[in-house]
Amino acid sequence: MKKQNMKMETAVIHQGYDSKVHHDSLATPLYQTSTFSFSNAEEGENRFAGNSEGNIYSRLGNPTVRVLEERMKEIEFGEGALAFGSGMAAVSAILVYLTKAGDHVLCSRGIYGCTFGLLEIMQEKYGITHSLVSMTTEEEIEQAIQPETVCIFLETPINPTMELVNLEAVVAVASRRGIQVVVDNTFSSPYLQNPICMGADFVLHSATKYLNGHGDVVGGILVGKDKEEIAQLRKTVQKDMGGIMSPFDAWLLLRGLKTLHVRMDRHVANAKKILAFLQKERSVKKIFYPFDPSHPQYDIAVKQMREGGGLISFEVEGGKKEAQAFMNALSLIKIAVSLGDAETLIQHPASMTHAAVPKKERDKMGISDSLVRLSVGLEHTDDLISDLAQAFEKAKLELQEI
Ligand SMILES: *Cc1c(COP(=O)(O)O)cnc(C)c1O
């Protein structure tokens, strides 16, 4: 395992920034500029040729964005990082970078809805195929690999069922076959899981979620364990497809990131208290949380994650009607997609984030109509639990009256 220069708690605050070269400014300055001027034509020529260090144009690099990239590189144990305008811009950049017409991408049994949408476009337009399989053992993964497979793209825990992928098994098979492994680490954040330390080649994040943590930025991050590959990505797909992060969003992210460890500790502590409450609630049929000892892959969870995270999915007794009545009865907890914010959010995957997945597929993935997903925020758990309790009660009474 690669050793960090600093502990993560220190790196999220200091890494990649030197105040001495920024007029002693404590906070990272916001370089809100599209372009940079050269002192003469030769300097411009040299920068373009890569013979002299320096900025050219913000799509090719911006000092505020660079600080964020340096920081992310460190906390995900990589050798290089790139910031994008959204999580999906990071997903599309790495998939375009790794594939060509005729290739195959092997995916975990669940992947983010838009990642699935992108893979469908790639299949239709460029003949790049994909398949979704369970990845708990090496045998399962071996069997799913095709001669055309160039990369394994996975999420763990999988949204919203919290099913886990066995990272050790994936990396073992991939390295035997010479296949690259890409992990969407959005759900865990770098604080709870570091796939590069386990042998993954690339890690990506929707920075919109825990990294920023304040629900006011859409962004993406890609970290790689090979410096040259990240440099290549920067010079090619990132520059030419252009899905870069704005300096202002990088500035907000640097601000949000400083408290990642503090926030994650509280998200986890709150999630554990809510889990204990839900386990006793009679209107709850089934709970999905990685660090719940009754989780079918609890052994994998404790091996590859430091804690179970801030997301809990659960099925309410009944079906869609009961789930929606419960959600409507909440008052403090907001009905919204996205996750990782200070506010506790609840959503109904079957009709929202996974509505585009055909019902038959949803059933196979374990996404029933009674399933809701809770992103536990940073409020006091007494307030959250009393909101949940009154909503279960209110929904029950309302449905009895009908
Ligand atoms: C939100 C999310 C994405 C997409 O990120 P955007 O920032 O919305 O583009 C990708 N993967 C996961 C797991 C997500 O939760």
Side-chain angles (χ1 to χ4, degrees), residues 85-89 91 111-112 114-115 155 157 159 184-187 204-209 217-220 338-339 373:
S86 70
M88 282 316 301
V91 172
I111 46 171
Y112 187 69
C114 302
T115 303
E155 276 173 38
N159 176 25
D184 180 338
N185 203 27
T186 304
F187 262 43
L204 64 90
H205 287 274
S206 167
T208 316
K209 317 292 168 52
V217 167
V218 173
S338 198
L339 56 104
R373 187 194 75 191

